Amino acid sequence: MKFKPADKIQDLQYFGEFGGVNPSISDSSTYTFLSAKTMFDTFEGNAEGCYLYSRHTTPSNLYLGEALAAMEGTETANVAASGMGAITPTILQFCQAGDHIISSRTIYGGTYAFLKNFTPRMGIDTSFVDITKLDVVEAAITSKTKIIFCECVSNPLLEIADIAALAKIAKKHGLQLLVDNTFSPLTISPAKLGADVVLHSLTKFINGSSDTMGGVVCGSQELIDSLRNVNDGACMLLGASMDSLRAASILKNMRTLHIRMKQHSHNALFLAEKFEADGLKTVYPGLKSHPGHTLYKSMMNEEYGFGGMLTVDVGSLEKANELMELMQQRNLGYLAVSLGFYKTLFSAPGTSTSSEIPEEEQVEMGLTDGLIRFSIGLDNDIARTYKMMRQCMVEVGVL
């Protein structure tokens, strides 16, 4: 039976402490015990249903984690204060000095900087590869390799990773496959394709209102228990814990995620087809011209479309900046980083969200100066939006 992530979210039903339709928020940083023995057992991880300290977890965080695990089809999940607060501890839980990581070369700039500049201080090395070339991925594996890390849809070039094929490679060599699914919640379910761990920045599409940060690690009970362990758990010890009020807020927004993703995808496909027909160099997984189009179709949960992210190359950074400034003046969206907002967001990733990647490596991977990354909003009349965007492009000489 086909996996339906939105149904899994809908089937969760919580009651608040006083019968409310929303679960009560636990607004406490620490929790009391009726006996000293129970406190000891909780520290040892042997007291089911007891709470210790909010850095460990809270009822509100567990509710959100349960919903996210249901969405991704994993045993459980642990939420964190940001996407990087989920990604970095998870990588460090698997790796120690002398270990090796294989990563996609096109990933979020913060993740790239962590693997390129920070983990080498700990004696952890990373090989950055073209994740779409499976032979190259397998050739990069060494006796020291512990994990393969990739994004379902890469930031910002929108390359598509073959999760099932990568999972087979990982399993063959005894590795863990970690997949960042931030760009494609609901549309792709990596755990169902064989990924061991699924990560998200909740800040983006899942929350959807650009008013808070959050992250999540979805995986096995064994992994999440190890991350929360008071003695050597990376999430527990590094302290990127989510606040209960924020967890409750994100959980409420998750209930409309399926509606929002459908509209983001509908609008992005409409614009991508129009831009491509206008002769612009447009990259969007829903276009047949996209090299990963067929692969994406084979992995996707169809009803949610191809996602809300697209890129257009306008030739130069000067033109990109001129166009984005004009579109912002015309109320078409915001010149801002991040994604998943109800309004369209646009940025030139080479000088913003991917600026951590050295210029020569940007050139090698095809990240050009004139590339604009669009996170398409929830506009009701997307044809009107297109006409206004096209007019801006004509005025600045892009069309």
Side-chain angles (χ1 to χ4, degrees):
M1 196 158 137
K2 194 163 176 64
F3 182 65
K4 293 185 175 289
D7 288 358
K8 298 294 183 183
I9 299 170
Q10 185 181 328
D11 289 346
L12 292 169
Q13 194 159 359
Y14 303 116
F15 292 96
E17 187 179 354
F18 304 104
V21 295
N22 289 310
S24 303
I25 299 170
S26 173
D27 196 19
S28 296
S29 62
T30 191
Y31 296 83
T32 190
F33 295 90
L34 296 180
S35 74
K37 171 73 165 60
T38 310
M39 179 183 279
F40 172 78
D41 287 342
T42 304
F43 263 99
E44 294 297 306
N46 300 322
E48 186 75 24
C50 291
Y51 298 94
L52 178 67
Y53 180 56
S54 59
R55 177 158 52 86
H56 183 254
T57 193
T58 69
S60 300
N61 290 12
L62 285 179
Y63 287 134
L64 176 59
E66 197 176 316
L68 290 159
M71 181 186 81
E72 288 296 357
T74 61
E75 285 182 351
T76 189
N78 188 59
V79 295
S82 68
M84 290 301 292
I87 291 168
T88 56
T90 306
I91 290 172
L92 293 178
Q93 194 70 24
F94 285 114
C95 298
Q96 58 187 0
D99 286 343
H100 174 250
I101 296 167
I102 294 170
S103 170
S104 171
R105 64 182 183 175
T106 56
I107 51 174
Y108 169 59
T111 313
Y112 175 90
F114 177 70
L115 294 175
K116 179 80 171 182
N117 305 326
F118 198 90
T119 53
R121 300 183 197 176
M122 305 172 188
I124 301 168
D125 293 322
T126 301
S127 296
F128 295 94
V129 302
D130 183 343
I131 207 72
T132 65
K133 295 179 179 174
L134 298 173
D135 56 335
V136 173
V137 174
E138 192 156 19
I141 296 171
T142 74
S143 60
K144 301 288 188 182
T145 307
K146 288 292 187 291
I147 64 174
I148 298 172
F149 182 94
C150 70
E151 297 171 345
C152 274
V153 182
S154 76
N155 184 0
L157 298 182
L158 309 184
E159 292 175 344
I160 310 302
D162 188 337
I163 306 302
L166 290 168
K168 285 180 184 174
I169 293 171
K171 190 173 182 181
K172 176 182 170 184
H173 294 275
L175 310 178
Q176 294 287 309
L177 176 60
L178 277 60
V179 179
D180 183 338
N181 199 28
T182 298
F183 273 27
S184 42
L186 297 184
T187 67
I188 297 178
S189 302
K192 293 300 178 183
L193 298 168
D196 297 291
V197 183
V198 183
L199 302 138
H200 284 274
S201 169
L202 304 177
T203 315
K204 315 302 194 301
F205 286 113
I206 289 176
N207 185 51
S209 50
S210 289
D211 59 357
T212 189
M213 293 188 297
V216 69
V217 188
C218 301
S220 67
Q221 188 70 55
E222 182 183 8
L223 170 63
I224 302 307
D225 286 347
S226 72
L227 286 166
R228 288 183 185 147
N229 190 286
V230 297
N231 295 307
D232 59 6
C235 282
M236 182 64 177
L237 298 177
L238 294 175
S241 307
M242 178 174 279
D243 178 77
S244 291
L245 294 169
R246 289 307 193 183
S249 173
I250 295 170
L251 179 60
K252 290 168 193 165
N253 286 350
M254 273 192 74
R255 294 165 186 165
T256 61
L257 179 61
H258 62 294
I259 301 167
R260 291 185 281 110
M261 287 311 299
K262 289 176 186 179
Q263 190 68 15
H264 284 303
S265 295
H266 168 78
N267 287 352
L269 179 60
F270 183 93
L271 290 177
E273 288 176 342
K274 291 290 188 183
F275 292 156
E276 187 173 60
D278 285 333
L280 293 168
K281 187 178 177 184
T282 308
V283 176
Y284 180 67
L287 295 174
K288 290 179 181 175
S289 59
H290 191 293
H293 175 72
T294 302
L295 172 60
Y296 196 112
K297 281 189 78 171
S298 73
M299 296 192 295
M300 71 190 289
N301 299 312
E302 260 183 72
E303 61 185 304
Y304 308 108
F306 293 89
M309 304 301 296
L310 65 86
T311 68
V312 173
D313 195 331
V314 297
S316 70
L317 181 59
E318 182 184 22
K319 282 291 180 194
N321 289 339
E322 190 181 356
L323 176 59
M324 290 188 294
E325 288 169 8
L326 182 59
M327 287 192 296
Q328 181 167 256
Q329 288 171 18
R330 301 278 169 85
N331 296 332
L332 286 164
Y334 296 104
L335 174 48
V337 298
S338 199
L339 49 123
F341 193 42
Y342 86 98
K343 288 276 281 187
T344 294
L345 304 177
F346 30 79
S347 62
T351 54
S352 58
T353 52
S354 297
S355 59
E356 297 93 337
I357 301 172
E359 281 186 31
E360 63 274 13
E361 292 183 33
Q362 290 187 25
V363 171
E364 187 183 327
M365 66 178 63
L367 177 49
T368 57
D369 278 348
L371 194 76
I372 299 176
R373 189 191 76 176
F374 288 85
S375 167
I376 303 303
L378 300 174
D379 309 34
N380 184 57
D381 186 349
I382 195 64
R384 170 180 175 264
T385 299
Y386 164 68
K387 288 175 186 173
M388 294 172 71
M389 283 185 171
R390 192 182 192 286
Q391 181 58 36
C392 291
M393 291 172 177
V394 169
E395 287 183 37
V396 301
V398 170
L399 286 178

